[in-house]
Amino acid sequence: QSALTQPASVSGSPGQSITISCTGTSSDVGGYNYVSWYQQHPGKAPKLLIFDVGNRPSGVPGRFSGSKSGNTASLTISGLQAEDEANYYCTSFTSSSPYVFGTGTKVTVL
Amino acid sequence: QVQLQESGPGLVKPSQTLSLTCTVSGGSISSGNYYWSWIRQPAGNGLEWIGRFYTRGSTEYNPSLKSRVTISVDTSSNQLSLKLNSVTAADSAVYYCARAPRGGSDPFDFWGQGTLVTVSS
């Protein structure tokens, strides 16, 4: 099972919106609405941001949103803040395994 | 609030078996509808799911690691364990344990802090 493809880096200025893509196949992202997103600051454990494509756990700010079209899922951060500078990972259910992670995206706040 | 804490040797020799324990507090590892997973992250790289134990007693493994991995639970100690045999330098990573409520994405809602394991002679 190959890792889902994410851009290596995305950047934006405070207050702007950015979108991180997560591209898979019809055997994972495209075949199920079971995509989650995690935020990881350096040296810390990942934190759940989005599950089931577009649902936020309680406590996650509303500026984080998720969506999916075909084989590509997306995480949008609206009103970018300095504390959003971190690495972001998607994961999806697959036909052969409960999880495959994305390659990860480093978000830089300019 | 559930807390998870990984522990085990930080250094393992090549070809030997890596053994880690995840101690769960604030809840029983054998109750509820949860999956308990091991996930690893090589230095500077992305996350890789290793496998999971379901509270109803079943296990599932990453197909790429299945031949070398065993995940089990000690309910008396409320601990999840990981054994990975025939390790090489490629198995050097931070190893995390995490809980996932069963349903939909089975998302990981609680994570341990991670423990670094280096494979070296």
Side-chain angles (χ1 to χ4, degrees), chain B residues 1 3 41 57 61 87 102 105 110 115:
Chain B
Q1 167 131 329
Q3 292 186 315
Q41 184 172 35
Y61 300 115
V87 298
R102 186 170 183 266
S105 304
F110 285 99
T115 188

Side-chain angles (χ1 to χ4, degrees), chain B:
Chain B
Q1 167 131 329
V2 172
Q3 292 186 315
L4 298 86
Q5 177 69 60
E6 304 88 350
S7 60
L11 181 64
V12 181
K13 288 182 168 43
S15 81
Q16 293 193 341
T17 297
L18 179 160
S19 295
L20 297 176
T21 298
C22 172
T23 300
V24 177
S25 58
S28 170
I29 199 170
S30 58
S31 66
N33 220 9
Y34 298 106
Y35 292 107
W36 301 89
S37 280
W38 286 99
I39 297 153
R40 69 181 183 179
Q41 184 172 35
N45 284 293
L47 299 160
E48 180 180 33
W49 178 74
I50 299 170
R52 68 183 182 182
F53 177 89
Y54 180 40
T55 49
R56 299 291 184 263
S58 63
T59 52
E60 292 176 276
Y61 300 115
N62 185 323
S64 67
L65 297 169
K66 186 175 182 177
S67 63
R68 299 195 292 130
V69 176
T70 302
I71 291 174
S72 60
V73 161
D74 180 347
T75 55
S76 64
S77 302
N78 222 32
Q79 291 178 331
L80 178 74
S81 71
L82 168 70
K83 292 188 186 300
L84 179 66
N85 57 38
S86 305
V87 298
T88 69
D91 295 310
S92 298
V94 173
Y95 285 75
Y96 295 98
C97 56
R99 187 190 84 164
R102 186 170 183 266
S105 304
D106 300 336
F108 303 112
D109 61 352
F110 285 99
W111 295 68
Q113 64 186 33
T115 188
L116 176 63
V117 178
T118 301
V119 178
S120 175
S121 55

Side-chain angles (χ1 to χ4, degrees), chain A residues 13-40:
Chain A
S13 299
Q16 286 187 329
S17 292
I18 62 169
T19 297
I20 302 167
S21 60
C22 170
T23 301
T25 69
S26 58
S27 295
D28 38 66
V29 174
Y32 311 92
N33 288 323
Y34 295 151
V35 175
S36 299
W37 288 90
Y38 298 85
Q39 176 191 62
Q40 186 182 33

